[in-house]
Amino acid sequence: MSSKVVPYYQKRHKHYDHSYRNLQSRYVVQEYSTQKSQEQRLEQRAERHAEQRSEQQVEQRSQQQHRSYDRSVHYATELAFLEEDIRIARALAREQIDKVSIQRMVEEKLALQRQIHEECVSRAPDILVRLRSHTVWEGMPVKLFFTVQGYPTPLVQWYKNETLISPASEPGKYRIESKYGVNSLEIYRTNTNDTATYTAVARNVHGQSSTNAAVIVKRYRSEDEPLHPGYMPHLPLTAAISFTHIDVKFLETFGVTFGVEGETVTLSCSVLLTPDISRLRPQAEWYRDDVLIKESKWHQLHFGEGRATLTFTHMNKDDEGLYTVRMVTRGGVNQHSGFLFVADAAALVAGAPGAPMDVECHDANKDYVIVTWKPPNTASEAPVIGYFVDKCEVGTENWIQCNDSPVKICKYPVTGLFEGRSYIFRVRAVNKAGISRPSRVSFAVAALDPADLSRLQTIHLEGGRDIVIYQDDLEGEVKIPGAPTNVQAHETSKTYVVLSWDPPVPRGRDPLVYYIEKTMVGSGSWQRVNSEIPVRSPRYAVFDLVEGKSYNFRVIAVNKHGVSEPSEVTPPIQAQERLAVPSAPGRILASRNTRTSVVVQFDRAKVEEELIGYYIDSSVVGSNHWDHCNHKPIKYNRFVVHGLTPGEQYIFRVKAVNAVGVSENSQESEAITVKAALRGGVPHATPSHPYGITLLNCDGQSMTLGWKVPKYTGGANISGYYIDKREADHLNWHEVNSKQIQERIYTVENLEEGAYYEYRIAASNLAGLGLPSDPSEHFKCEAWTFPEPGPAYDLTFCEVRNSSLVILWKEPVYSGNSPVVGYFVDYKEFEGEQWTRVNETATSNRYLKVKELEEGKTYVFQIRAVNAAGIGKPSDISEPVLVQARPGVQEITTGVDEEGNIYLAYNCTEISEASQFTWCKAYEEINDDQKFKAETIGENSKLYFKNPDKDDLGTYSVAVSDTDGISSSYVLDAEELERLMALSHEIRNPTIPLKSELAYEILEKGRVRFWLEAQNLSSESSFRFVVNDLEIKDSESHRIKFDRAAGIIEMVMDKFTVENEGTYTVQIQDGKAKNQSSLVLIGDAFKALLAEAEFQRKEYIRKQGPHFLEYLYWEVTEECEVLLVCKVANTKKETVFKWYKEEVPVDALDVPDLQQGVCIFRIPKLTKKDQGEYKATLKDDRGQDVSILELSGKIYEDIVLGMSKVSGSSASELKIICTPEGIRFHCYMKYFSEEMKVSWYQRESKVSSSEKMRIGGTDEFAWLQICEPTEKDKGKYTFEIFDAKTSYKRTVDLSGQAFDEAFAEFQRLKAAAFAEKNRGKVIGGLPDVVTIMEGKTLSLTCTVFGNPDPEVTWLKNDRDLELSDHFSTTMESGKYASLTIKEVSSEDSGKYGINVKNKYGGETVDVTVSVYKYGEEVPEVKPGQLPKTAPAPAPAKTPAPAPAPAPEKAKPAPKAGKSARK
């Protein structure tokens, strides 16, 4: 490892400078330093400025000499120089005044620092100037001086070498004096016998202090005169003899500390050494339970730079205890103590016990050692059933378990060690839940025989040389060893016996081993115990013994030469526990200590032999959960339990512990509430000293003083105060008042004008007079004549929260030339310099809430009074206040008690028995017994208002004494007071609570029921029902009932008419409690009730015959059909049901089912034609009923939205369909109607129907057609359908390959359509059949079309017709083609055809011609086959899309006529 590595403790060590001073001292020093540096800067700036100005003046004047000597110019120049000089003089004077002001401020701060220093001085004897050592010649006098202060005046005694000096014993030898705290001892005509250490001891009732010095008396002697023994003093003369005492003061200390196993914790103290000399530093020693702690891997100690630290690198429960740091000096010891609690680390297995502790090794030998430990505490865990002991050879990390089964006691002999090796041990506890964490490892122990050292013998030779030999070398040639001796039971247990013996004499030089033999008493047979493993140490643990049986043992020694004789047989030894489980401790008593601790005392166990200690458990009352108070056994019977919750009630129990186990729990203590004890945490019952002594007024012959109440009253009320005074240059104090002063303001009379005085004050209570305060600052007795007011005083704070506090003060005693009209409040950070004003305008109150402070910072405050003359002197600076809310502090609450009394309540859990609640209004103590009553019970205090009214509005506050400033306030406003008074009135004038006010409901047949429900009515309750100021009794027309158990009062009116308009009231009385409830039924409210009653009456009549249980309503099915549904009741076979639309009877597709009571009118595909009024009627001999539904307007729109929901849910994905006109998108669905709210989008832009984009649809699908598509029409297309709540979207991407394929198909279909349009065709004129008589002329004419003009060819019987005179053809205007047959004959009968074609294609149309002779019947001729069209080569068919769900594809209607396309 490098030598430059920083040690661990130095990494964690904090370095400190002069912060050992208290905060106020540091502040004053810092401000003084700042002001001094400012003064120096101002002086330097002034000097530089003066030098610059003088240089400028010289330069300017030299320039002026070269100018004209004009008189006016000369005078003007000189005048300017004079003005500049005056300005510089004024600046220097102003700087000098500022310097004087700064010096005055520094003096004030130094006086404040002196006062702070004096406040820290203890009232016990304190030696200010110590004795100094002297060296004198024989016959000369010597005088020793020292200065001491204390109150009462200390008694001083002198000692010479610890022998009291009495002037009467040697008259004329000594002179002892004491004046004004300066004590002296003068020794006349010294001689060598006076060489000694002289000690002065000063004592008073509060303590003692001492100082000593050495006096050395020398005798003159010549060079030949021998040195007299008396010349040499019997003192250790060192270079540091002049300093025999170092004053040690602890500044920052550690308190009760809590830790957990495995953590790193540091205890530290900062100390102030006086004098602080490096070669005379005290020695810092740390102790745990009065045992000195040394540096180790577990503990790191450091002392330097005014701080002593003890660091625990890895805490274990072994470290728990009372820690004391002692600063050892030549003059004595200063120490500080605090308790460290170490809790168990989290268990590896839930419910497992804590780790054992204090593992130690005893009686180590070559192959054997006894390991002991302390058991853990088990408060809420299962009891420990045993322990496992592990060993590890030093230098390895291989842990080996020594025992196979848990050992039940806290002691175990470990065998099988290897001689010469070192081992460490650890222990683990076991219970039914599992195994604990391992304990801290023991110190390393070597497996060596301690008797080896006793066998060494040293032989001293001439010349100072020594020879060390073994005693075995002196025994001669011994081969077979002697028998071992003194065999005895060293340790006994239920399961083993540890035997010990002395090695044989003679022993021999060869190594020895031992064998142990045992026999059960009475058996007569010996059994070798360790036949396989020989023993090297004169110790051995014999296991596997029968409990309760007695055994004899003997030991045999063996070396390489042979076996010794057996040792003498031991007396009978029985395997049994030498110790028993200890008895439970006796009576346990818990008493209060502080707000978080309790003192527990108990009677010790009856038998404390080899007792390890005691464990204490605590439990919150009612929780049934026990916690550990201490985690390591304590040996004393008084213990302070820390870390408790303030205000909680606890019970305690104790158990004793020894190596065998844990005793039964003691009886539980009585429950105790955790509060501060009577003394409030101070070591005496008298009050602490007052503080903050302030001069409030002075008239030249008297001074008026004010001071603050002691922070702790000592457990009793302050009965009064005593004041002492003295002049500034005097040492003795003089009593001002012989009788107690009740108030904290007093005027001291009969003073000398111009003199300086200082004061101190002591408070008293029933316990006696407390310590006096520190002396005040020096007050000059001179009359106050300034016009401004004097200082306010008695600055106190309350309601300190995280960002605010309330400051209170008292009015100045000296008001100046006019009355005080207000106050300004200033504050600053504790170590800051700049004051901040809280209120911009002066407040007339003597309290102010300061807000917007920073949490966690410390502030100081001062008050300035204001009168007509201006702002007066500031008050003394307040003590520092930390702006931080105390945890657990509650606020004032309001309430009303059972008797209707209004109160303010406050609860404080941190009170002590000496605490008192003080209630104030506007922060003035309440003393008006006519209006208020304060009542305190335990932790709760209430302020009752006797006759509350508007005068009681305002700010109320409460403060709790002896709690370090716990307080709270509450603003009682008009709204809150009104609420409290209303609640008080309700309690004092009880009303019957109503579950429901008077209400009405309409029953069957139009009857009206009025009812009211009350709570908790007794059998003696009564009521009155009043209608329009007339009481109503139970009658046929007014049925009144009163159910007292349920608290229901009701009245039922069979017939409700116009005469019943008015006010209805129910009045209830039950003992003193009353209540009433009214219901006003007038005007519209009455008309609505009357109409509803009449309707219900008619409804009752209607329901006597066939009637509609549910009137017509509509539904949309999953197939997108619209159903008009109604439900009927009270029908029979003769009942007739009919449907009407617009008063016209219609037949429904579904037969009405009167037995099931459901009738349906089905509309398969709703269109606008289906709008209208639909009516359903029921009729039989008992009556009739009608239900009407107007299927139009809003209802029609709602139905369309319902169909949109079904259609939108069933809509298929968009399909691309190509046509000759363009590209289409089809969305198939169960039903589509133009009334549905649909939209089409192209790339998120809505598409409207136009020539370019056409939108339409059929019953089966909706479509969008892009006419003449181009590249711009690429993109994503979306179809959206709405159902008022949800939109259903389907998309398709028309881009890339999809667009290319669709566009190609469109081009193909477009070309095919163009060809079909322009091919040759017959567009009309030819009949299908022609009959004609012979000899006539037949003319067949038709109209043809084609672009370009087609070629026309006539056919007969599918062959080209040869033209002749008999057959002739004509073509007129390019479109009228004719075939003429002259004088037809029977041969001309047959099938004729005309073929029309051009480059785009054509067609052939056939005509059947039948010729008959004259006189014959006209024959019936049937036409030939239908025309067949054969167009130009047809394009490939585009497959039809498959919709989901796939509706049937529309089938094109066939064309009429015969045609054959070519």
Side-chain angles (χ1 to χ4, degrees):
M1 181 180 294
S2 172
S3 61
K4 295 185 178 180
V5 175
V6 179
Y8 175 76
Y9 71 89
Q10 291 185 4
K11 292 180 181 178
R12 299 182 59 84
H13 181 65
K14 296 182 179 179
H15 297 274
Y16 295 84
D17 49 14
H18 294 289
S19 61
Y20 58 81
R21 296 173 175 157
N22 60 49
L23 298 177
Q24 187 67 18
S25 300
R26 277 190 289 162
Y27 165 75
V28 173
V29 173
Q30 180 181 1
E31 185 170 6
Y32 175 74
S33 302
T34 304
Q35 292 175 349
K36 291 294 285 183
S37 60
Q38 291 177 353
E39 292 175 10
Q40 294 175 358
R41 287 196 297 269
L42 288 174
E43 292 176 356
Q44 295 173 359
R45 189 182 302 114
E47 293 175 357
R48 289 197 300 269
H49 183 72
E51 292 176 358
Q52 292 175 0
R53 296 303 306 169
S54 61
E55 292 176 357
Q56 293 177 2
Q57 291 175 4
V58 171
E59 182 178 356
Q60 290 177 359
R61 287 174 181 173
S62 61
Q63 292 176 359
Q64 291 294 335
Q65 292 177 359
H66 297 83
R67 295 179 182 176
S68 172
Y69 284 94
D70 185 85
R71 188 178 186 85
S72 60
V73 173
H74 176 72
Y75 284 155
T77 304
E78 290 296 329
L79 181 60
F81 287 147
L82 181 60
E83 290 177 350
E84 183 64 21
D85 291 340
I86 293 173
R87 189 184 65 79
I88 294 174
R90 287 179 178 176
L92 293 176
R94 190 181 307 110
E95 290 177 355
Q96 189 68 21
I97 293 173
D98 292 343
K99 182 178 180 181
V100 173
S101 175
I102 292 171
Q103 289 178 348
R104 185 178 302 162
M105 182 182 297
V106 171
E107 292 174 356
E108 292 176 356
K109 295 301 181 181
L110 289 176
L112 178 60
Q113 181 183 8
R114 182 170 61 254
Q115 175 187 352
I116 293 170
H117 174 72
E118 291 173 350
E119 289 178 355
C120 300
V121 177
S122 174
R123 307 320 297 164
D126 187 14
I127 296 176
L128 303 180
V129 179
R130 295 190 169 275
L131 293 175
R132 296 180 58 189
S133 298
H134 292 266
T135 301
V136 297
W137 294 104
E138 186 180 22
M140 295 178 60
V142 63
K143 197 170 185 178
L144 304 178
F145 291 90
F146 80 100
T147 303
V148 64
Q149 73 172 10
Y151 183 83
T153 303
L155 175 65
V156 177
Q157 291 180 315
W158 293 86
Y159 294 83
K160 175 184 176 182
N161 288 338
E162 300 181 358
T163 301
L164 180 64
I165 298 175
S166 176
S169 62
E170 297 183 46
K173 179 69 174 179
Y174 303 100
R175 183 183 177 186
I176 299 176
E177 291 183 347
S178 177
K179 292 182 179 181
Y180 309 113
V182 179
N183 295 267
S184 64
L185 170 65
E186 186 173 3
I187 307 173
Y188 295 98
R189 296 188 61 82
T190 59
N191 54 46
T192 56
N193 293 329
D194 294 325
T195 299
T197 299
Y198 291 82
T199 303
V201 180
R203 295 185 181 89
N204 66 6
V205 294
H206 299 298
Q208 72 175 23
S209 183
S210 64
T211 177
N212 53 38
V215 175
I216 302 174
V217 181
K218 291 185 177 182
R219 176 182 295 175
Y220 176 78
R221 66 181 181 89
S222 61
E223 297 179 357
D224 300 331
E225 185 177 0
L227 183 63
H228 192 275
Y231 292 168
M232 296 300 295
H234 302 285
L235 296 173
L237 297 179
T238 64
I241 194 68
S242 59
F243 293 97
T244 59
H245 179 84
I246 297 177
D247 186 24
V248 179
K249 183 177 181 181
F250 289 100
L251 300 179
E252 297 177 8
T253 58
F254 59 90
V256 176
T257 308
F258 297 89
V260 180
E261 284 188 309
E263 293 181 345
T264 299
V265 172
T266 298
L267 304 181
S268 66
C269 281
S270 62
V271 295
L272 176 62
L273 305 179
T274 307
D276 189 2
I277 303 175
S278 59
R279 60 190 178 90
L280 284 179
R281 290 189 180 277
Q283 181 179 356
E285 297 178 348
W286 288 87
Y287 293 82
R288 180 179 66 240
D289 298 329
D290 290 331
V291 177
L292 181 65
I293 299 175
K294 297 182 179 179
E295 186 90 16
S296 67
K297 68 175 181 179
W298 310 115
H299 309 110
Q300 294 182 354
L301 287 74
H302 179 72
F303 177 50
E305 298 182 359
R307 181 168 292 272
T309 60
L310 170 61
T311 300
F312 303 89
T313 57
H314 186 283
M315 280 204 306
N316 289 84
K317 290 185 295 184
D318 309 50
D319 298 319
E320 182 170 293
L322 180 66
Y323 282 82
T324 302
V325 56
R326 295 177 180 172
M327 308 303 295
V328 182
T329 65
R330 295 187 179 185
V333 175
N334 294 76
Q335 65 182 27
H336 171 76
S337 300
F339 204 94
L340 172 64
F341 291 88
V342 183
D344 288 293
L348 299 176
V349 179
M357 67 208 81
D358 285 351
V359 179
E360 297 179 354
C361 299
H362 307 274
D363 199 21
N365 271 274
K366 292 182 179 180
D367 57 357
Y368 158 90
V369 69
I370 291 181
V371 179
T372 62
W373 59 90
K374 292 180 181 178
N377 189 8
T378 53
S380 57
E381 302 85 0
V384 175
I385 60 177
Y387 303 89
F388 286 116
V389 181
D390 303 332
K391 68 178 179 181
C392 177
E393 187 176 342
V394 174
T396 68
E397 296 182 357
N398 183 25
W399 285 96
I400 301 172
Q401 185 172 301
C402 301
N403 51 323
D404 297 329
S405 60
V407 59
K408 298 184 180 299
I409 64 174
C410 298
K411 183 183 296 185
Y412 186 74
V414 178
T415 59
L417 306 181
F418 292 95
E419 183 179 2
R421 298 185 184 180
S422 296
Y423 295 87
I424 54 176
F425 299 88
R426 69 183 186 187
V427 183
R428 295 169 293 152
V430 185
N431 67 1
K432 65 179 183 180
I435 302 177
S436 73
R437 291 177 178 269
S439 67
R440 174 182 284 179
V441 299
S442 68
F443 288 108
V445 60
L448 297 173
D449 187 356
D452 288 345
L453 294 177
S454 63
R455 295 199 302 275
L456 292 177
Q457 185 172 351
T458 303
I459 301 175
H460 300 282
L461 302 177
E462 295 180 358
R465 291 182 297 173
D466 296 332
I467 297 177
V468 180
I469 63 173
Y470 273 99
Q471 190 175 356
D472 304 342
D473 298 333
L474 303 178
E475 294 178 351
E477 292 295 329
V478 178
K479 294 187 177 180
I480 298 177
T485 59
N486 195 22
V487 181
Q488 59 182 346
H490 184 70
E491 193 79 35
T492 61
S493 174
K494 290 182 180 180
T495 57
Y496 66 86
V497 170
V498 177
L499 298 175
S500 65
W501 59 88
D502 294 334
V505 178
R507 169 190 174 93
R509 300 181 181 180
D510 299 307
L512 287 179
V513 296
Y514 302 95
Y515 289 94
I516 295 89
E517 295 179 348
K518 71 177 180 179
T519 180
M520 189 177 294
V521 174
S523 65
S525 62
W526 288 91
Q527 178 183 356
R528 182 161 290 184
V529 177
N530 59 327
S531 58
E532 297 181 358
I533 304 176
V535 178
R536 300 180 182 276
S537 300
R539 300 286 188 277
Y540 187 72
V542 182
F543 290 90
D544 300 328
L545 302 179
V546 179
E547 184 178 356
K549 297 294 185 179
S550 297
Y551 294 86
N552 298 114
F553 299 91
R554 66 186 184 187
V555 182
I556 301 172
V558 180
N559 64 9
K560 67 179 182 178
H561 298 293
V563 179
S564 72
E565 294 293 328
S567 67
E568 293 183 2
V569 178
T570 64
I573 299 174
Q574 189 174 4
Q576 61 182 5
E577 292 291 354
R578 185 171 55 85
L579 291 175
V581 175
S583 60
R587 181 176 59 92
I588 180 172
L589 176 64
S591 57
R592 293 175 182 169
N593 186 45
T594 67
R595 56 186 296 269
T596 59
S597 64
V598 166
V599 177
V600 177
Q601 302 180 73
F602 52 90
D603 294 338
R604 296 180 180 272
K606 294 182 179 179
V607 180
E608 289 191 321
E609 184 181 0
E610 299 188 24
L611 191 69
I612 295 177
Y614 299 93
Y615 278 124
I616 302 174
D617 302 330
S618 67
S619 174
V620 177
V621 173
S623 66
N624 293 326
H625 176 77
W626 291 90
D627 293 314
H628 305 163
C629 295
N630 60 316
H631 309 88
K632 181 180 178 181
I634 58 173
K635 292 189 176 182
Y636 31 87
N637 65 336
R638 183 182 185 274
F639 187 72
V640 181
V641 180
H642 289 273
L644 304 178
T645 303
E648 286 283 1
Q649 281 193 323
Y650 285 85
I651 55 177
F652 299 89
R653 68 186 185 189
V654 186
K655 49 198 170 188
V657 182
N658 66 6
V660 178
V662 181
S663 72
E664 296 292 331
N665 292 316
S666 68
Q667 292 183 353
E668 297 174 358
S669 69
E670 294 183 359
I672 184 171
T673 303
V674 180
K675 294 181 180 178
L678 176 65
R679 300 189 181 104
V682 295
H684 46 76
T686 57
S688 60
H689 61 80
Y691 65 101
I693 302 175
T694 306
L695 178 61
L696 304 179
N697 193 10
C698 182
D699 59 6
Q701 286 79 34
S702 65
M703 291 183 179
T704 301
L705 305 177
W707 60 90
K708 294 183 180 180
V709 69
K711 293 185 177 180
Y712 295 101
T713 62
N717 293 331
I718 301 294
S719 58
Y721 301 91
Y722 291 94
I723 305 176
D724 295 338
K725 71 174 182 180
R726 70 178 178 186
E727 291 191 37
D729 55 350
H730 292 185
L731 294 177
N732 294 331
W733 290 94
H734 301 282
E735 196 175 70
V736 173
N737 58 311
S738 58
K739 294 184 179 180
Q740 293 184 356
I741 301 171
Q742 305 297 329
E743 301 295 332
R744 286 183 290 109
I745 184 172
Y746 187 77
T747 301
V748 182
E749 305 285 351
N750 302 321
L751 302 178
E752 181 181 349
E753 186 172 5
Y756 285 88
Y757 292 89
E758 60 180 344
Y759 301 89
R760 67 182 185 184
I761 303 173
S764 65
N765 62 5
L766 293 176
L769 185 66
L771 294 175
S773 68
D774 295 328
S776 68
E777 64 178 283
H778 292 169
F779 297 134
K780 185 177 182 180
C781 184
E782 61 179 359
W784 288 7
T785 59
F786 45 84
E788 296 86 5
Y793 69 101
D794 199 11
L795 276 64
T796 56
F797 302 91
C798 60
E799 304 170 40
V800 180
R801 301 298 185 259
N802 287 333
S803 61
S804 66
L805 56 80
V806 175
I807 181 172
L808 302 93
W809 61 90
K810 290 187 178 180
E811 184 179 4
V813 175
Y814 178 80
S815 61
N817 293 344
S818 59
V820 174
V821 296
Y823 302 90
F824 287 108
V825 180
D826 301 333
Y827 73 92
K828 68 174 182 176
E829 291 188 24
F830 179 59
E831 297 184 354
E833 297 182 0
Q834 184 175 0
W835 289 92
T836 302
R837 180 151 293 173
V838 177
N839 50 328
E840 296 298 331
T841 59
T843 176
S844 59
N845 298 322
R846 292 197 299 276
Y847 63 89
L848 185 68
K849 187 168 186 177
V850 184
K851 302 179 180 179
E852 298 181 0
L853 301 176
E854 293 188 36
E855 181 180 358
K857 288 194 175 182
T858 302
Y859 296 88
V860 292
F861 296 80
Q862 67 180 14
I863 310 297
R864 292 177 179 265
V866 182
N867 65 5
I871 300 176
K873 292 180 62 175
S875 66
D876 287 349
I877 298 175
S878 69
E879 65 258 25
V881 181
L882 175 63
V883 180
Q884 189 171 34
R886 290 170 60 105
V889 174
Q890 302 181 21
E891 302 294 344
I892 294 177
T893 58
T894 61
V896 181
D897 64 9
E898 296 178 353
E899 298 179 357
N901 298 316
I902 299 175
Y903 64 83
L904 300 178
Y906 187 70
N907 177 265
C908 178
T909 60
E910 302 182 19
I911 65 171
S912 64
E913 293 182 0
S915 298
Q916 292 183 348
F917 292 81
T918 302
W919 288 92
C920 301
K921 181 179 180 183
Y923 296 97
E924 295 288 341
E925 186 172 354
I926 296 175
N927 296 315
D928 190 354
D929 296 335
Q930 301 297 324
K931 294 185 66 65
F932 302 98
K933 175 187 176 184
E935 183 178 286
T936 300
I937 300 176
E939 300 174 351
N940 300 287
S941 181
K942 293 182 179 179
L943 179 68
Y944 288 94
F945 296 83
K946 292 185 177 181
N947 297 300
D949 53 28
K950 292 184 178 180
D951 295 336
D952 295 324
L953 301 178
T955 301
Y956 291 84
S957 61
V958 61
V960 188
S961 63
D962 283 88
T963 57
D964 199 14
I966 292 181
S967 56
S968 180
S969 67
Y970 183 83
V971 178
L972 183 63
D973 55 19
E975 182 180 355
E976 179 65 11
L977 180 60
E978 183 179 356
R979 183 188 72 82
L980 294 173
M981 293 182 68
L983 182 58
S984 175
H985 179 77
E986 291 180 5
I987 295 175
R988 292 179 175 177
N989 302 280
T991 59
I992 299 174
L994 300 179
K995 288 186 178 179
S996 63
E997 297 285 343
L998 182 62
Y1000 70 84
E1001 62 177 334
I1002 300 175
L1003 305 178
E1004 192 179 48
K1005 300 182 182 180
R1007 296 181 301 166
V1008 179
R1009 174 179 177 255
F1010 295 90
W1011 63 282
L1012 173 148
E1013 185 176 3
Q1015 293 182 0
N1016 305 326
L1017 293 180
S1018 67
S1019 59
E1020 303 298 328
S1021 58
S1022 60
F1023 77 98
R1024 295 175 68 237
F1025 222 118
V1026 180
V1027 178
N1028 293 332
D1029 298 330
L1030 296 177
E1031 184 177 358
I1032 303 298
K1033 300 293 184 180
D1034 186 22
S1035 62
E1036 292 293 332
S1037 59
H1038 299 80
R1039 297 290 184 182
I1040 300 176
K1041 293 182 181 180
F1042 184 17
D1043 187 349
R1044 288 181 172 81
I1048 297 177
I1049 303 172
E1050 67 176 7
M1051 178 180 70
V1052 178
M1053 301 176 63
D1054 291 337
K1055 190 173 182 181
F1056 195 73
T1057 62
V1058 178
E1059 289 77 12
N1060 298 124
E1061 184 176 9
T1063 302
Y1064 294 74
T1065 303
V1066 176
Q1067 299 174 349
I1068 313 173
Q1069 183 170 359
D1070 190 357
K1072 294 183 180 180
K1074 298 179 181 180
N1075 206 343
Q1076 74 174 26
S1077 181
S1078 299
L1079 183 63
V1080 179
L1081 295 176
I1082 298 175
D1084 294 339
F1086 174 76
K1087 292 178 181 178
L1089 174 59
L1090 183 63
E1092 181 66 18
E1094 183 66 20
F1095 173 77
Q1096 292 296 336
R1097 187 183 65 80
K1098 292 180 179 179
E1099 278 290 290
Y1100 174 77
I1101 296 173
R1102 180 180 71 86
K1103 292 180 180 179
Q1104 301 307 306
H1107 62 276
F1108 288 97
L1109 191 63
E1110 293 184 18
Y1111 288 104
L1112 279 174
Y1113 63 93
W1114 58 269
E1115 291 180 354
V1116 177
T1117 67
E1118 291 297 325
E1119 299 300 324
C1120 216
E1121 295 180 336
V1122 178
L1123 305 181
L1124 304 183
V1125 185
C1126 61
K1127 296 182 180 179
V1128 299
N1130 200 14
T1131 60
K1132 58 183 182 178
K1133 294 182 180 180
E1134 291 78 9
T1135 302
V1136 178
F1137 180 89
K1138 290 185 178 181
W1139 289 100
Y1140 294 88
K1141 179 183 179 184
E1142 300 292 348
E1143 300 297 335
V1144 177
V1146 293
D1147 295 328
L1149 298 177
D1150 301 295
V1151 178
D1153 189 352
L1154 299 183
Q1155 290 184 351
Q1156 297 296 327
V1158 179
C1159 301
I1160 298 174
F1161 187 87
R1162 188 184 306 273
I1163 305 176
K1165 295 183 178 180
L1166 182 70
T1167 61
K1168 290 184 178 180
K1169 296 180 180 179
D1170 296 317
Q1171 297 187 70
E1173 181 186 87
Y1174 290 80
K1175 181 169 69 174
T1177 61
L1178 276 172
K1179 185 176 182 181
D1180 60 16
D1181 55 356
R1182 295 170 297 170
Q1184 67 176 3
D1185 199 6
V1186 178
S1187 178
I1188 299 175
L1189 179 65
E1190 184 67 31
L1191 189 60
S1192 61
K1194 182 66 168 57
I1195 295 178
Y1196 181 80
E1197 293 175 359
D1198 292 342
I1199 296 175
V1200 171
L1201 291 175
M1203 294 190 301
S1204 300
K1205 181 177 181 180
V1206 175
S1207 298
S1209 301
S1210 64
S1212 68
E1213 295 297 329
L1214 291 181
K1215 306 297 181 181
I1216 301 176
I1217 306 295
C1218 296
T1219 66
E1221 291 80 12
I1223 299 174
R1224 273 193 180 192
F1225 303 107
H1226 284 197
C1227 181
Y1228 295 88
M1229 59 192 72
K1230 290 187 176 179
Y1231 178 66
F1232 176 74
S1233 172
E1234 293 182 354
E1235 287 78 15
M1236 293 182 181
K1237 294 182 179 180
V1238 298
S1239 300
W1240 288 89
Y1241 296 90
Q1242 179 189 12
R1243 292 190 296 271
E1244 308 302 330
S1245 298
K1246 191 173 182 179
V1247 177
S1248 300
S1249 183
S1250 61
E1251 290 295 328
K1252 177 67 175 178
M1253 298 284 189
R1254 297 179 183 176
I1255 298 174
T1258 66
D1259 292 348
E1260 297 177 352
F1261 60 88
W1263 54 263
L1264 167 69
Q1265 178 169 299
I1266 306 172
C1267 298
E1268 296 297 331
T1270 62
E1271 290 288 333
K1272 295 181 179 181
D1273 296 321
K1274 290 183 179 180
K1276 183 176 75 171
Y1277 287 82
T1278 303
F1279 173 71
E1280 185 177 29
I1281 183 169
F1282 303 90
D1283 66 354
K1285 292 183 179 180
T1286 310
S1287 64
Y1288 304 89
K1289 296 182 179 180
R1290 301 293 185 267
T1291 60
V1292 66
D1293 189 6
L1294 185 63
S1295 61
Q1297 183 179 357
F1299 177 82
D1300 295 340
E1301 293 177 353
F1303 188 77
E1305 179 66 9
F1306 156 69
Q1307 294 283 23
R1308 187 186 67 78
L1309 293 178
K1310 182 178 179 182
F1314 183 82
E1316 174 65 21
K1317 178 180 179 182
N1318 295 287
R1319 67 178 175 83
K1321 62 185 72 175
V1322 178
I1323 60 175
L1326 287 179
D1328 293 333
V1329 176
V1330 176
T1331 57
I1332 192 171
M1333 189 187 333
E1334 285 184 338
K1336 298 292 184 178
T1337 298
L1338 176 63
S1339 176
L1340 299 175
T1341 304
C1342 65
T1343 305
V1344 298
F1345 172 78
N1347 187 18
D1349 292 340
E1351 296 179 358
V1352 177
T1353 304
W1354 289 92
L1355 306 173
K1356 181 180 181 182
N1357 294 330
D1358 296 331
R1359 294 182 179 179
D1360 291 342
L1361 181 64
E1362 295 181 1
L1363 299 178
S1364 61
D1365 293 339
H1366 186 64
F1367 297 99
S1368 62
T1369 61
T1370 61
M1371 187 70 177
E1372 296 179 0
S1373 302
K1375 60 180 181 178
Y1376 300 110
S1378 299
L1379 171 63
T1380 302
I1381 305 175
K1382 296 179 179 180
E1383 296 179 357
V1384 296
S1385 62
S1386 57
E1387 289 83 4
D1388 294 325
S1389 296
K1391 182 177 69 174
Y1392 291 83
I1394 182 171
N1395 178 260
V1396 182
K1397 65 178 179 181
N1398 60 10
K1399 64 179 181 179
Y1400 294 112
E1403 65 178 3
T1404 299
V1405 178
D1406 296 333
V1407 178
T1408 301
V1409 177
S1410 175
V1411 180
Y1412 63 92
K1413 293 181 179 181
Y1414 179 80
E1416 294 180 351
E1417 292 182 0
V1418 178
E1420 293 183 4
V1421 181
K1422 295 182 179 182
Q1425 61 184 3
L1426 292 175
K1428 295 182 180 179
T1429 306
K1437 292 184 179 181
T1438 301
E1448 294 182 3
K1449 185 178 178 182
K1451 298 178 181 180
K1455 284 187 177 181
K1458 296 180 180 178
S1459 66
R1461 184 173 298 173
K1462 297 182 181 178

